[in-house]
Amino acid sequence: EYKATVASNEITGLELEAVQPLPFQAGDACTIQYMIGSVLWGFDVIVLSIEGAKLKVCHVDHARYINRRRFVRVPLHRPVWAASFPVLSEQSKPALPSFSQAEIAEFSGPTLRLRGNLEVQRKDRILVIFEIEPGRVIQDIAEVQRVGQSGTGPFYVVELIGLDDRSEDELIRITNQSAIEQGMDLETERDLDGEEMEMTMEVGSL
């Protein structure tokens, strides 16, 4: 893994500058991890050119959201309003998102496990609105991470992707507070799907 900074971002690609020469050549496939606000994104790229520590790459239209923290998973059972929110859709004219009510069965920081009948698939984007505490409402875009069926009906797991650091820290506080109120052990109830990630760009071969 190698750390680099973005020197420029143009339509022809990203120009990166590392602190030392990189062992890549034109045509190599790489991955880049880049922090935007409180969200870590992973991008697949192709090396276009390289000169010492300077690298030019192009995206291959595949981005992944990477959870960078570990969180306690807490049952919540609270109403949520959700609506499909694709970047591009086919429709005769622009229309407002259509919300339907669902239930937050469990939350873990920015991760929500929802029960409801919204028709979604993995990687779909949705809008969610819910009250996290009396008088405090969360409104955000979420990405669907998993869809499944349980004994209580269909469910989908989503990650809130528009949070800034302050909002994410507040969700962590509320998660931990809810866990304590329910008598949960914060050290043993961690979400094992989370990972600690560096908050810098990293370039590494696939």
Side-chain angles (χ1 to χ4, degrees), residues 10 22 30 35 43 49 57 67 80 83 89 105 107 111 125 135 137 142-143 148 151 156 182 199 205:
E10 303 174 354
L22 301 172
C30 305
M35 200 71 196
F43 299 92
S49 63
V57 301
N67 191 354
V80 60
S89 61
F107 81 120
T111 304
R125 298 195 330 161
V137 175
E143 182 179 274
Y156 39 104
Q182 295 182 45
M199 298 170 62
S205 296

Side-chain angles (χ1 to χ4, degrees), residues 45-63:
V45 299
I46 300 295
V47 176
L48 297 177
S49 63
I50 185 167
E51 184 177 346
K54 294 183 178 180
L55 188 74
K56 187 169 185 177
V57 301
C58 67
H59 293 288
V60 294
D61 297 327
H62 183 204

Side-chain angles (χ1 to χ4, degrees), residues 16-206:
L16 313 177
E17 189 167 347
V19 295
Q20 61 186 20
L22 301 172
F24 301 125
Q25 59 185 3
D28 282 351
C30 305
T31 59
I32 291 175
Q33 293 182 355
Y34 185 58
M35 200 71 196
I36 304 175
S38 64
V39 175
L40 184 68
W41 290 96
F43 299 92
D44 293 335
V45 299
I46 300 295
V47 176
L48 297 177
S49 63
I50 185 167
E51 184 177 346
K54 294 183 178 180
L55 188 74
K56 187 169 185 177
V57 301
C58 67
H59 293 288
V60 294
D61 297 327
H62 183 204
R64 299 176 303 280
Y65 169 78
I66 303 171
N67 191 354
R68 66 183 176 91
R69 298 186 181 179
R70 297 185 177 205
F71 304 98
V72 180
R73 294 185 296 180
V74 182
L76 188 62
H77 306 296
R78 188 164 297 177
V80 60
W81 284 262
S84 178
F85 194 60
V87 175
L88 180 65
S89 61
E90 296 183 1
Q91 48 191 15
S92 58
K93 60 181 180 179
L96 294 175
S98 178
F99 285 88
S100 60
Q101 186 171 338
E103 180 191 53
I104 302 175
E106 183 180 75
F107 81 120
S108 177
T111 304
L112 307 175
R113 182 186 179 98
L114 308 181
R115 290 198 188 105
N117 296 316
L118 186 66
E119 294 185 2
V120 292
Q121 297 179 350
R122 188 172 179 272
K123 296 301 181 183
D124 281 356
R125 298 195 330 161
I126 65 173
L127 293 175
V128 294
I129 302 174
F130 61 96
E131 186 179 59
I132 192 64
E133 288 181 329
R136 307 186 70 188
V137 175
I138 296 288
Q139 302 176 105
D140 200 7
I141 298 173
E143 182 179 274
V144 178
Q145 300 296 316
R146 187 157 57 95
V147 178
Q149 186 81 22
S150 68
T152 57
F155 72 87
Y156 39 104
V157 177
V158 303
E159 295 272 2
L160 304 178
I161 61 176
L163 299 174
D164 57 21
D165 288 335
R166 181 179 176 183
S167 299
E168 186 171 278
D169 288 342
E170 184 65 7
L171 277 179
I172 294 170
R173 180 192 69 78
I174 294 170
T175 300
N176 292 340
Q177 179 180 312
S178 298
I180 292 171
E181 290 173 351
Q182 295 182 45
M184 301 172 67
D185 188 334
L186 298 183
E187 294 303 319
T188 60
E189 296 288 346
R190 296 291 176 183
D191 182 355
L192 300 181
D193 292 334
E195 284 188 83
E196 292 289 336
M197 297 286 182
E198 288 194 356
M199 298 170 62
T200 56
M201 175 173 288
E202 298 176 350
V203 183
S205 296
L206 284 174

